[in-house]
DNA sequence: TCTGGGGTCCTAGGACCC
DNA sequence: TCTGGGGTCCTAGGACCC
């Protein structure tokens, strides 16, 4: 029986955005650092020093002004160009350790590996320590690795690897003496379990389930009845039964969202249109890079939900295309029409955006016999030219509307942005 | 003054059908 | 006056993830 047991590892970059910034600017080492969300709104990444000062994940910057000033915390705007490139390198190093079907790129800073085929011939802890060293040496990023009999257990192991100094960055729960495992799990709050969010945490606590150990000892079918099938799977996974295989080929996207809060509130329809044209172009870029067509587009506008002095205004409008499209002109045109319907004068808008949904693969789409073939082919040529020019000369050279010009009213604020250390060809710039 | 953005999955409930 | 039961599909909203 034992030989059928699966083994998973979860490799996770410690304080990802902070670590990326530190790699390029070593002055940030050993001092408290936080990285902000878009518009410099909330702290979304914190160095260990910043965490130790009690700065919580997702807290708005204005609420921690005092602690930031008093401790001279280094504050940075987020620089996604850098994080995306570092992430690509991280995942490609890990790809060198396993077969393609054994790697799941879970997020920008997390990767699941199926190590089942290694467990009989390798000391897995040693093997994973090798990965840590290589990632540190090659791209300068610190990582933690958790090993478990299921993905959920690997997640918990990763959490323990981060918290417990004794593990030296690699925690193996699969090979741990069950008594020791139970001891550790009695110390970890149930809210740390993958899939247990705020609501379920509270419900579990009300039932007397407070630690990971409590949850692991619960009865899967009963928990499935009281919660959902996901909870049932989670409990099984904690009991060492793997229910979630490695997903090495993620399903094609089901929706694409492009939206932003504005740097300052805007009221004019023309400004909204300008911002919206940018989000549509961002969305179309992703749509086409995945070789998809869009069947439905939804536009939305919102005022500031935190402003209690005026009623919250939020409106959406949907449009379904007779024939799915990927031409930026069609999509911007329709979006302007939707915006006319949801725009109300006198509102201070804080955010707007679009959803593209009912996405289908371009290659599998058979165009309607009655649709205009010539127009479609002209549109495709136009899109090709538009993309070529943007790639060669930058986005501002050709676009729908002036949205790529600098310093628009609605542009987001990023006052503490680090440099872009990568050149266009992906190499690191040398000063 | 100041509160991110991009996703997925599940469930409940209504409409409709036989 | 009687007013079942089972099935499917769709949608809105909730919960969760990073």
């Amino acid at each position: 029986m034992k030989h059928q047991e699966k083994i998973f590892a979860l490799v996770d970059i410690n304080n990802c955005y902070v670590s990326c910034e530190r790699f390029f600017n070593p002055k940030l080492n050993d001092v408290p650092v936080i990285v902000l969300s878009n518009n410099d709104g909330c702290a979304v990444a914190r160095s260990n020093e910043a965490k130790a000062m009690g700065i919580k994940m997702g807290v708005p910057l204005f609420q921690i002004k005092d602690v930031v000033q008093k401790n001279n915390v280094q504050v940075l705007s987020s620089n996604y160009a850098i994080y995306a490139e570092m992430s690509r390198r991280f995942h490609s190093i890990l790809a060198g350790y396993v077969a393609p079907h054994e790697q799941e790129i879970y997020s920008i800073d997390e990767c699941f590996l199926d190590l089942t085929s290694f467990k009989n011939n390798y000391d897995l802890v040693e093997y994973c320590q090798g990965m840590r060293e290589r990632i540190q040496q090659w791209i300068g990023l610190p990582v933690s690795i958790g090993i478990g009999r299921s993905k959920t257990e690997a997640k918990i192991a990763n959490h323990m690897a981060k918290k417990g100094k004794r593990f030296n960055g690699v925690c193996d729960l699969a090979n741990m003496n069950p008594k020791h495992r139970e001891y550790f799990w009695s110390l970890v709050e149930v809210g740390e379990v993958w899939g247990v969010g705020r609501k379920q945490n509270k419900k579990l606590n009300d039932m007397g389930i407070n630690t990971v150990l409590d949850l692991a000892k619960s009865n899967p079918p009963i928990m499935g009845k009281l919660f959902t099938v996901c909870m049932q799977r989670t409990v099984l996974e904690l009991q060492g039964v793997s229910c979630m295989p490695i997903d090495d080929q993620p399903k094609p996207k089901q929706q694409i969202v492009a939206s932003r809060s504005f740097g300052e509130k805007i009221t004019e329809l023309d400004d909204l249109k300008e911002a919206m044209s940018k989000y549509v172009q961002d969305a179309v870029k992703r749509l086409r890079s995945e070789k998809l067509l869009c069947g439905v587009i939804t536009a939305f506008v919102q005022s500031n939900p935190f402003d209690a002095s005026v009623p919250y205004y939020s409106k959406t409008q949907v449009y379904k295309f007779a024939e799915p499209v990927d031409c930026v002109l069609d999509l911007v045109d329709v979006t302007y029409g939707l915006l006319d319907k949801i725009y109300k004068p006198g509102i201070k808008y804080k955010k707007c955006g679009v959803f593209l949904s009912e996405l289908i693969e371009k290659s599998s789409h058979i165009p309607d016999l009655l649709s205009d073939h010539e127009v479609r082919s002209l549109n495709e040529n136009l899109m090709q030219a538009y993309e070529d020019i943007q790639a060669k000369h930058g986005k501002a050279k050709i676009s729908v509307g002036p949205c790529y010009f600098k310093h628009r009213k609605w542009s987001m604020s990023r006052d503490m942005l680090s440099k872009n250390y990568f050149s266009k060809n992906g190499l690191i710039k040398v000063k």
Side-chain angles (χ1 to χ4, degrees):
Chain A
M1 218 47 203
K2 182 93 177 156
H3 65 280
Q4 285 180 354
E5 209 171 72
K6 304 282 283 178
I7 297 290
F8 297 92
L10 176 66
V11 190
D12 176 318
I13 303 172
N14 300 343
N15 315 330
C16 179
Y17 299 169
V18 168
S19 298
C20 289
E21 297 285 353
R22 278 179 168 169
F23 177 64
F24 292 102
N25 183 2
K27 282 184 191 152
L28 299 172
N29 286 333
D30 306 316
V31 299
V33 183
I34 59 175
V35 176
L36 303 176
S37 62
N38 282 327
N39 268 317
D40 296 338
C42 309
V44 291
R46 306 151 296 150
S47 70
N48 289 344
E49 298 83 1
K51 285 177 188 171
M53 288 162 189
I55 297 176
K56 296 265 183 274
M57 174 68 182
V59 70
L61 179 60
F62 73 89
Q63 287 177 7
I64 50 171
K65 269 256 144 68
D66 291 347
V67 62
V68 164
Q69 260 169 19
K70 205 169 79 193
N71 298 286
N72 197 22
V73 175
Q74 300 300 299
V75 181
L76 294 162
S77 303
S78 42
N79 191 337
Y80 284 96
I82 285 179
Y83 314 147
E85 176 58 24
M86 294 299 275
S87 170
R88 195 189 61 74
R89 294 175 188 210
F90 163 71
H91 291 297
S92 100
I93 291 173
L94 290 175
Y97 280 91
V98 293
H101 70 275
E102 293 169 327
Q103 180 181 25
E104 174 180 344
I105 296 175
Y106 180 67
S107 77
I108 192 165
D109 68 337
E110 283 175 75
C111 189
F112 283 109
L113 304 175
D114 182 342
L115 298 182
T116 309
S117 64
F118 294 78
K119 66 173 183 179
N120 293 326
N121 305 314
Y122 288 82
D123 177 330
L124 289 182
V125 172
E126 214 171 273
Y127 195 58
C128 288
Q129 285 294 357
M131 288 181 203
R132 282 185 77 224
E133 279 161 33
R134 181 178 293 183
I135 293 165
Q136 179 71 56
Q137 248 174 36
W138 289 10
I139 57 172
L141 295 180
V143 304
S144 301
I145 305 182
I147 303 169
R149 300 161 295 171
S150 62
K151 290 186 357 184
T152 303
E153 193 174 67
K155 270 267 192 187
I156 292 283
N158 188 285
H159 172 82
M160 290 166 57
K162 280 206 174 69
K163 298 276 166 184
K165 273 222 153 59
R166 59 161 79 69
F167 295 118
N168 191 28
V170 179
C171 171
D172 184 358
L173 278 171
N175 248 323
M176 192 177 282
N177 175 325
K179 285 275 165 263
H180 294 170
R181 183 160 61 212
E182 290 198 0
Y183 168 71
F184 285 123
W185 282 5
S186 72
L187 302 176
V188 183
E189 281 177 38
V190 71
E192 294 294 337
V193 174
W194 191 33
V196 177
R198 268 223 321 274
K199 269 275 167 59
Q200 304 205 117
N201 191 4
K202 187 175 180 307
K203 185 168 167 185
L204 288 166
N205 290 164
D206 291 345
M207 294 166 57
I209 296 177
N210 296 301
T211 67
V212 178
L213 181 62
D214 295 338
L215 186 61
K217 291 207 155 167
S218 70
N219 176 297
I222 291 176
M223 295 302 278
K225 280 266 189 297
L226 291 174
F227 291 81
T228 65
V229 290
C230 302
M231 182 62 82
Q232 184 167 354
R233 271 200 293 265
T234 298
V235 176
L236 279 168
E237 289 230 322
L238 287 176
Q239 296 175 354
V241 181
S242 168
C243 308
M244 299 185 249
I246 287 282
D247 185 9
D248 62 310
Q249 272 186 325
K251 278 198 281 181
K253 272 201 198 333
Q254 299 181 29
Q255 63 170 23
I256 291 171
V257 182
S259 74
R260 284 278 181 285
S261 301
F262 308 129
E264 56 182 279
K265 291 187 193 67
I266 65 178
T267 55
E268 300 302 313
L269 181 58
D270 281 348
D271 290 329
L272 279 177
K273 284 191 172 170
E274 196 179 303
M276 205 65 117
S277 79
K278 176 171 189 293
Y279 307 151
V280 173
Q281 288 173 87
D282 292 350
V284 169
K285 191 174 176 197
R286 281 183 268 157
L287 182 76
R288 286 177 56 88
S289 75
E290 307 239 351
K291 300 198 183 350
L292 297 169
L293 295 172
C294 160
V296 167
I297 182 164
T298 307
F300 69 89
V301 293
Q302 291 171 6
S303 65
N304 184 357
F306 297 101
D307 184 352
S309 69
V310 287
Y312 177 53
Y313 181 79
S314 158
K315 212 144 181 98
T316 67
Q317 186 82 37
V318 185
Y319 181 88
K320 185 171 171 64
F321 289 95
E323 185 91 15
V325 294
D326 69 347
C327 176
V328 75
L329 291 179
D330 292 335
L331 285 153
V332 170
D333 191 46
V334 165
T335 305
Y336 285 171
L338 296 175
L339 204 45
D340 284 332
K341 289 188 193 164
I342 54 184
Y343 174 76
K344 192 168 129 191
I347 302 285
K348 286 182 184 160
Y349 295 95
K350 179 62 182 165
K351 182 176 181 178
C352 73
V354 288
F355 297 79
L356 310 186
S357 52
E358 295 197 11
L359 308 179
I360 58 162
E361 280 172 48
K362 200 170 182 176
S363 59
S364 69
H365 174 62
I366 301 162
D368 191 327
L369 265 181
L370 300 176
S371 72
D372 192 332
H373 176 76
E374 202 175 332
V375 169
R376 253 200 332 273
S377 133
L378 283 173
N379 276 347
E380 182 56 35
N381 290 345
L382 178 71
M383 285 306 294
Q384 285 289 346
Y386 162 93
E387 283 168 350
D388 290 347
I389 294 170
Q390 286 202 337
K392 219 169 179 173
H393 303 290
K395 283 180 180 166
K397 285 286 184 275
I398 180 171
S399 68
V400 185
C403 60
Y404 288 108
F405 294 169
K406 284 200 161 78
H407 309 306
R408 310 309 289 172
K409 240 187 207 166
W410 44 269
S411 308
M412 57 178 184
S413 18
R414 293 204 288 176
D415 294 335
M416 295 148 284
L417 189 63
S418 55
K419 275 177 290 187
N420 184 4
Y421 300 96
F422 291 104
S423 63
K424 261 191 191 158
N425 58 20
L427 299 175
I428 296 172
K429 283 180 192 166
V430 183
K431 270 168 258 164

